[in-house]
């Protein structure tokens, strides 16, 4: 079965809409874990638009599965990660004003910077994951860096599968093939493979059936459903899909 990491950023988005103290990401993490998820993911953005430093500190003390901190490879974030010590740090590109993460890291062009950040995190006993597009050169660069995990960006497939055709150049089938080929390449290089971005109850199955992909990180869709049916049910329904053969 494919593991599920639940990204709870949007619980904090709702709280920050009023700059108040509810809903609490810590409570959401507890509920998601009780429903059976395998990990909790949060993205501490440089602009602190949703998750705050205090959330990360509290989650580090309360999460019983695994805490995955998504972060830009900046000095500030590396310092915070080294203090908080999440189980995994997923390095992502971050641009001011973006609605969500736009594409994967460019590990070829920014090799030295990303590699140095990964080494600083690994030195603090934090497993590093690189969020990258499903491209051969990116996987090869990640392999040269010696990182233990990559997270393949599933956005092109996800957008195409939901017929958001204006956003994508590939068909869903073509985008899925790229993800599969990248997962196989990374797996054969001994890199653990995660995936995520844009996945929903409707399109997740094709990705979860790729044997090399151990874990998927899903946020917006699960939290959206949770707003209507409750977090426990939303997480259980996603887990049920990931468990199907
Ligand atoms: N993985 C990464 C690296 C992300 O940046 C995000 C979005 O925060 C996700 C997974 C989850 O994406 P979504 O919210 O579309 O499920």
């Amino acid at each position: 079965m494919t593991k599920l990491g639940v990204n709870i950023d949007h619980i904090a988005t709702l709280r920050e809409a009023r700059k108040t103290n509810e809903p609490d990401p810590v409570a959401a993490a507890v509920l998601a874990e009780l429903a059976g998820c395998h990990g909790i993911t949060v993205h501490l953005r440089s602009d602190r638009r949703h998750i705050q430093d205090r959330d990360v500190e509290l989650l580090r003390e309360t999460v019983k599965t695994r805490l995955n901190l998504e972060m830009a490879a900046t000095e500030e974030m590396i310092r915070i990660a080294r203090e908080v010590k999440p189980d995994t740090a997923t390095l992502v590109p971050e641009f001011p004003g973006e609605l969500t993460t736009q594409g994967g890291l460019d590990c070829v062009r920014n090799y030295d910077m990303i590699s140095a950040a990964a080494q600083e995190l690994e030195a603090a006993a934090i497993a590093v994951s690189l969020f990258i597009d499903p491209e051969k050169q990116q996987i090869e660069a990640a392999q040269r860096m010696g990182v233990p995990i990559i997270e393949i960006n599933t956005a092109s497939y996800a957008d195409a599968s939901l017929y958001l055709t204006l956003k994508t150049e590939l068909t869903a089938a073509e985008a899925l093939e790229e993800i599969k080929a990248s997962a196989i390449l990374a797996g054969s290089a001994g890199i653990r493979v995660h995936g995520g971005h844009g996945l929903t109850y409707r399109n997740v199955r094709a990705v979860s059936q790729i044997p090399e992909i151990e874990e998927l990180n899903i946020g917006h869709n699960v939290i959206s459903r949770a707003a209507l049916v409750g977090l426990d049910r939303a997480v259980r329904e996603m887990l049920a899909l990931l468990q199907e053969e």
Side-chain angles (χ1 to χ4, degrees), residues 7 9-10 41 43 45 50 68 70 90-92 100-101 131 151-152 195-200 217-222:
N7 179 316
D9 289 348
H10 288 333
T41 295
H43 184 173
R45 282 186 167 269
H50 39 53
N68 174 35
E70 272 181 32
T90 300
L91 296 177
V92 298
T100 180
T101 312
F131 182 62
E151 178 174 331
I152 296 179
H197 214 288
L199 296 174
T200 76
N217 277 308
I218 310 183
H220 186 267
N221 191 237
V222 169

Side-chain angles (χ1 to χ4, degrees), residues 8 11 23-34 40 59 62 231:
I8 57 170
I11 299 293
D24 189 338
V26 173
V30 170
L31 292 173
E33 288 190 319
L34 287 174
I40 298 293
L59 287 165
T62 52
L231 188 54

Side-chain angles (χ1 to χ4, degrees), residues 76-154:
E76 180 197 23
M77 289 300 151
I78 292 168
R79 178 183 51 74
I80 293 170
R82 286 172 61 97
E83 281 167 19
V84 173
K85 294 197 186 297
D87 299 285
T88 320
T90 300
L91 296 177
V92 298
E94 203 178 287
F95 299 99
E98 65 185 355
L99 286 181
T100 180
T101 312
Q102 301 294 313
L105 293 163
D106 190 338
C107 295
V108 177
R109 187 175 293 180
N110 303 313
Y111 187 94
D112 291 343
M113 186 267 285
I114 296 168
S115 177
Q119 280 172 27
E120 278 195 69
L121 293 163
E122 295 274 355
I126 301 164
V128 173
S129 175
L130 302 181
F131 182 62
I132 56 178
D133 292 329
E135 291 167 10
K136 190 166 181 270
Q137 316 88 278
Q138 297 300 331
I139 314 276
E140 288 170 350
Q143 185 186 4
R144 285 199 301 282
M145 286 182 204
V147 293
I149 311 168
I150 58 163
E151 178 174 331
I152 296 179
N153 180 8
T154 53

Side-chain angles (χ1 to χ4, degrees), residues 19-87:
K19 298 279 178 216
T20 180
N21 61 3
E22 64 179 4
D24 189 338
V26 173
V30 170
L31 292 173
E33 288 190 319
L34 287 174
C37 77
H38 303 89
I40 298 293
T41 295
V42 289
H43 184 173
L44 183 66
R45 282 186 167 269
S46 303
D47 63 8
R48 308 299 197 273
R49 73 167 77 150
H50 39 53
I51 292 292
Q52 306 294 312
D53 300 54
R54 178 175 177 272
D55 296 322
V56 182
E57 287 157 20
L58 291 175
L59 287 165
R60 174 63 297 180
E61 290 183 25
T62 52
V63 164
K64 306 223 170 15
T65 53
R66 281 179 297 109
L67 180 63
N68 174 35
L69 179 65
E70 272 181 32
M71 51 179 270
T74 59
E75 256 178 53
E76 180 197 23
M77 289 300 151
I78 292 168
R79 178 183 51 74
I80 293 170
R82 286 172 61 97
E83 281 167 19
V84 173
K85 294 197 186 297
D87 299 285

